[in-house]
Every structure is written in structure tokens, then in C-alpha cells.
Amino acid sequence: QVQLEESGGGLVQAGESLRLSCAASENIFGINRVGWYRQALGKQRELVATITSDGRANYADSVKGRFTISRGNAKNPVYLQMNSLKPEDTAVYYCNLVTFREYWGQGTQVTVSS
């Protein structure tokens, strides 16, 4: 059973940056799509950004121009660079990976203070 673990979250002030990483418990091949989702307290989980195997990226309107998703390797399949963070970006961020099945990480907390 492949497990994903996010890292890089933390407490920052508005305007600062964070870089999230996603590590897999074993090398993963045949990745169709990787991405990041987030869930704020009391809200539903929402898409932040995804990127396909051929490099097509998709972003939520709320993060366009501030966040950048990038693909890594088989062990660290995806990263998320988050710049100009806002208090409304506060949430638990989850790594998502799709091969012939779907995998989720446990999440990392990002808190942005005003």
C-alpha cells in the first residue's frame, strides 16, 4: 500500500511563501496526474492545483499567479510553491496522486496570519 506524506506546511505571515512537498513510501510509476487539494475548517475539500503526466497544469482561480505546481520524481512526485500567501489560504493541504488508482496523503497544515 503506497503512502503519501506531505511536508513543508507551517505558520507564516501574509505575503510570505511556503513550499510543500509530497513524498511516497515507494517509487511510483505510471502516474497520470498529481495535485494538491486543501480543506479549510468547516469547508469542503477543494482543488488547489493539478498537473498531468504531459505537464498540463490546472489551478483554482483563487491561487492563479501565486502558486506553482511542479512534478518531481517517482519518490517525490509533486511540489507546490506558494507565494504571496493570504489568510484565506489557511487550510490543511493534501497531496493527491492518480495512477490506475488514487492516493491521498494525510495532509499538512498551512496557517497564514494577517
Side-chain angles (χ1 to χ4, degrees), residues 11-17 84-89 111-114:
L11 171 64
V12 296
Q13 293 188 335
E16 294 184 339
S17 299
S84 303
L85 282 160
K86 302 176 181 180
E88 50 263 44
D89 295 318
T111 302
V112 185
S113 63
S114 58

Side-chain angles (χ1 to χ4, degrees), residues 79-99:
Y79 300 92
L80 185 69
Q81 178 66 41
M82 306 187 295
N83 298 330
S84 303
L85 282 160
K86 302 176 181 180
E88 50 263 44
D89 295 318
T90 295
V92 177
Y93 284 70
Y94 297 90
C95 173
N96 173 261
L97 187 150
V98 177
T99 59

Side-chain angles (χ1 to χ4, degrees), residues 26-96:
E26 58 188 75
N27 291 336
I28 301 179
F29 301 97
I31 298 174
N32 293 321
R33 187 184 73 241
V34 290
W36 292 92
Y37 292 72
R38 68 186 181 187
Q39 187 167 18
L41 194 63
K43 296 186 177 181
Q44 291 188 333
R45 190 173 298 189
E46 63 177 4
L47 179 147
V48 176
T50 60
I51 186 166
T52 61
S53 59
D54 59 358
R56 287 177 290 128
N58 178 52
Y59 295 93
D61 288 342
S62 59
V63 306
K64 283 181 181 177
R66 299 188 298 122
F67 291 10
T68 302
I69 189 170
S70 60
R71 296 194 62 179
N73 53 34
K75 197 66 184 294
N76 298 276
V78 65
Y79 300 92
L80 185 69
Q81 178 66 41
M82 306 187 295
N83 298 330
S84 303
L85 282 160
K86 302 176 181 180
E88 50 263 44
D89 295 318
T90 295
V92 177
Y93 284 70
Y94 297 90
C95 173
N96 173 261

